[in-house]
Amino acid sequence: MKYNALTALTAKSLPPGKHADGQGLWLIKSRKQAGKWILRLTVSGKRREMGLGRWPDVSLSEARETAAAARRKLRSGVDPIESRASERHRPAPLTIRQAVQGCFEAKQAELKNDGAAGRWRSPLDKHVLPKIGEMAIEDLDQHQIKAVLEPIWHTKPEAARKAANRINLTLKFAAAMGLNVDLQAVMKTRALLGKQRHESTHIPSLPYRELPAFYSMLSERTHQTACLALRFLILTCTRTSEVRLARYEEIEGGLWIIPAQRTKTGVEHRVPLVRPMLELIKQTRVGNPHPHLFTTVRANPLSDAAMSKFMREEGLEARPHGFRATFRTWVEEQTDTPFEVKEAVLGHSVDKGVVAAYQRSDRLEKRRKLMQKWADFVLGVG
């Protein structure tokens, strides 16, 4: 049979029917203006037909190229028809965005409140996924990671560190799925970027000797919710988020029970309430019908910036979270309180392993006595 028997011009003029181009390539015309290409092959001793697309959408030259590629596969022992079927059913490559989501879902049980706050994903959502989220995870290497982390490597070192950590976990997740990823990509990225210049700094705190005067000033600002919240924060030595979102239903007699989902450790924290704290709680109830102790004029919980904003406007370098350090310094220098009690006030876990299995007290009564001493100091009593 003649090879390359057809031309683009003759293909248009041919009547309906079967027309051979050679080497098994046929143009099957259903009508003068439309048809399809097929390639006849002998695979494992059996005659097979492989469709190559519609004519004239697929040109003669394209059909010949596809046919030639199929014949090359057949000569190398590969069934071109089965090979094409496998490629059509092959799933789309897993993107970095999809891999991150899968990794996040696998880790949710380990995260506080199932990661609802978004802190685990935040570094990736902000700095990584907008740039390379649609790239296949199997194509990710140290050069792409370097490109997205380099702008923040020294200026936002903590965000860069967390992003690198999350990428590393995502690559491990993808490897567990059986994908061909470079598990050393993050390590190589760190080698390319070098040591971070920025040094972490502690949140500024107020020296404990200056605290009674500051608390006295707050006590005079009875009309400002931020001042009430700061007073409660100082007396209880709790975190700003715990104070901002404190609810009356969490107050039970002489205790403030912070539920596990609102603590940093993910463990319920009982705060002993001594008299100045209870009096402050009564003060917050005046004209406040809402469930939260500290609310805005729109009945929302106090914003996360309100207390910091007040201190900044007062010209203070110290910030609200720093009062925990103020307490920790005072209790270390001015009392002989055991280490475990001091740490328990701050909600830190100090009992590990076997000790934790048997020591189940949260040292509540010891903490209550210490909190009374602290309140007396803050209020300038005695």
Side-chain angles (χ1 to χ4, degrees), residues 4 33 39 46 60 77 105 116 141 155 163 210 228 300:
N4 298 338
Q33 295 81 20
L39 177 64
K46 296 182 179 179
L60 174 60
E105 291 173 0
D141 63 21
T155 57
E210 299 176 18
L228 289 172
N300 297 319

mmCIF file of all heavy atoms in Angstrom, residues 4 33 39 46 60 77 105 116 141 155 163 210 228 300:
data_model
loop_
_atom_site.group_PDB
_atom_site.id
_atom_site.type_symbol
_atom_site.label_atom_id
_atom_site.label_comp_id
_atom_site.label_asym_id
_atom_site.label_seq_id
_atom_site.Cartn_x
_atom_site.Cartn_y
_atom_site.Cartn_z
ATOM 1 N N ASN A 4 1.526 7.775 2.745
ATOM 2 C CA ASN A 4 1.186 9.190 2.579
ATOM 3 C C ASN A 4 0.402 9.433 1.299
ATOM 4 O O ASN A 4 0.724 10.306 0.484
ATOM 5 C CB ASN A 4 2.455 10.050 2.587
ATOM 6 C CG ASN A 4 3.201 9.959 3.910
ATOM 7 O OD1 ASN A 4 2.622 9.617 4.935
ATOM 8 N ND2 ASN A 4 4.479 10.270 3.891
ATOM 9 N N GLN A 33 -17.900 16.692 4.511
ATOM 10 C CA GLN A 33 -17.265 17.714 5.339
ATOM 11 C C GLN A 33 -16.829 17.213 6.718
ATOM 12 O O GLN A 33 -16.272 17.967 7.510
ATOM 13 C CB GLN A 33 -18.229 18.902 5.554
ATOM 14 C CG GLN A 33 -18.568 19.671 4.299
ATOM 15 C CD GLN A 33 -19.667 18.974 3.490
ATOM 16 O OE1 GLN A 33 -20.417 18.143 4.016
ATOM 17 N NE2 GLN A 33 -19.737 19.304 2.190
ATOM 18 N N LEU A 39 -6.306 4.400 13.355
ATOM 19 C CA LEU A 39 -5.043 3.719 13.058
ATOM 20 C C LEU A 39 -5.242 2.245 13.327
ATOM 21 O O LEU A 39 -5.615 1.850 14.444
ATOM 22 C CB LEU A 39 -3.919 4.272 13.946
ATOM 23 C CG LEU A 39 -2.550 3.591 13.778
ATOM 24 C CD1 LEU A 39 -1.998 3.805 12.357
ATOM 25 C CD2 LEU A 39 -1.571 4.108 14.827
ATOM 26 N N LYS A 46 -3.486 -9.592 17.458
ATOM 27 C CA LYS A 46 -4.879 -9.227 17.217
ATOM 28 C C LYS A 46 -4.963 -7.866 16.548
ATOM 29 O O LYS A 46 -4.202 -6.968 16.870
ATOM 30 C CB LYS A 46 -5.654 -9.182 18.538
ATOM 31 C CG LYS A 46 -5.754 -10.537 19.236
ATOM 32 C CD LYS A 46 -6.571 -10.417 20.517
ATOM 33 C CE LYS A 46 -6.689 -11.768 21.213
ATOM 34 N NZ LYS A 46 -7.478 -11.649 22.475
ATOM 35 N N LEU A 60 -4.314 16.330 8.798
ATOM 36 C CA LEU A 60 -3.604 15.167 8.262
ATOM 37 C C LEU A 60 -2.218 15.042 8.895
ATOM 38 O O LEU A 60 -1.799 13.954 9.292
ATOM 39 C CB LEU A 60 -3.500 15.291 6.732
ATOM 40 C CG LEU A 60 -2.657 14.242 6.019
ATOM 41 C CD1 LEU A 60 -3.205 12.839 6.262
ATOM 42 C CD2 LEU A 60 -2.576 14.538 4.508
ATOM 43 N N GLY A 77 7.230 -2.574 22.487
ATOM 44 C CA GLY A 77 6.529 -3.544 23.319
ATOM 45 C C GLY A 77 5.405 -2.959 24.158
ATOM 46 O O GLY A 77 4.880 -3.634 25.051
ATOM 47 N N GLU A 105 -5.722 18.387 57.659
ATOM 48 C CA GLU A 105 -6.804 17.515 58.129
ATOM 49 C C GLU A 105 -6.266 16.329 58.910
ATOM 50 O O GLU A 105 -6.875 15.897 59.900
ATOM 51 C CB GLU A 105 -7.647 17.044 56.942
ATOM 52 C CG GLU A 105 -8.460 18.167 56.301
ATOM 53 C CD GLU A 105 -9.162 17.738 55.026
ATOM 54 O OE1 GLU A 105 -9.001 16.554 54.638
ATOM 55 O OE2 GLU A 105 -9.868 18.571 54.412
ATOM 56 N N ALA A 116 -9.152 25.384 64.615
ATOM 57 C CA ALA A 116 -10.187 26.315 64.136
ATOM 58 C C ALA A 116 -9.688 27.755 64.061
ATOM 59 O O ALA A 116 -10.171 28.542 63.246
ATOM 60 C CB ALA A 116 -11.415 26.242 65.047
ATOM 61 N N ASP A 141 10.727 21.950 44.871
ATOM 62 C CA ASP A 141 12.103 21.732 45.301
ATOM 63 C C ASP A 141 12.585 22.932 46.109
ATOM 64 O O ASP A 141 11.829 23.880 46.364
ATOM 65 C CB ASP A 141 13.029 21.456 44.109
ATOM 66 C CG ASP A 141 13.124 22.638 43.138
ATOM 67 O OD1 ASP A 141 12.832 23.783 43.546
ATOM 68 O OD2 ASP A 141 13.496 22.419 41.973
ATOM 69 N N THR A 155 13.133 39.374 57.780
ATOM 70 C CA THR A 155 12.232 40.414 58.288
ATOM 71 C C THR A 155 11.101 39.847 59.138
ATOM 72 O O THR A 155 10.625 40.496 60.068
ATOM 73 C CB THR A 155 11.628 41.206 57.119
ATOM 74 O OG1 THR A 155 10.938 40.292 56.242
ATOM 75 C CG2 THR A 155 12.727 41.927 56.336
ATOM 76 N N ALA A 163 6.410 28.583 58.394
ATOM 77 C CA ALA A 163 6.063 28.186 57.025
ATOM 78 C C ALA A 163 6.948 27.029 56.565
ATOM 79 O O ALA A 163 6.464 26.065 55.960
ATOM 80 C CB ALA A 163 6.201 29.375 56.078
ATOM 81 N N GLU A 210 6.878 49.074 89.720
ATOM 82 C CA GLU A 210 6.058 50.140 89.149
ATOM 83 C C GLU A 210 4.592 49.733 89.009
ATOM 84 O O GLU A 210 3.744 50.566 88.674
ATOM 85 C CB GLU A 210 6.599 50.540 87.770
ATOM 86 C CG GLU A 210 8.025 51.066 87.791
ATOM 87 C CD GLU A 210 8.546 51.367 86.389
ATOM 88 O OE1 GLU A 210 7.705 51.491 85.466
ATOM 89 O OE2 GLU A 210 9.778 51.469 86.216
ATOM 90 N N LEU A 228 -10.626 48.069 82.934
ATOM 91 C CA LEU A 228 -11.177 46.985 83.745
ATOM 92 C C LEU A 228 -10.546 45.654 83.347
ATOM 93 O O LEU A 228 -10.183 44.835 84.206
ATOM 94 C CB LEU A 228 -12.692 46.915 83.572
ATOM 95 C CG LEU A 228 -13.523 48.035 84.198
ATOM 96 C CD1 LEU A 228 -14.978 47.917 83.761
ATOM 97 C CD2 LEU A 228 -13.424 47.990 85.719
ATOM 98 N N ASN A 300 -19.983 43.390 71.524
ATOM 99 C CA ASN A 300 -19.002 42.377 71.132
ATOM 100 C C ASN A 300 -17.960 42.222 72.229
ATOM 101 O O ASN A 300 -17.722 43.144 73.014
ATOM 102 C CB ASN A 300 -18.314 42.778 69.829
ATOM 103 C CG ASN A 300 -19.271 42.856 68.668
ATOM 104 O OD1 ASN A 300 -20.145 42.000 68.526
ATOM 105 N ND2 ASN A 300 -19.137 43.881 67.851
#
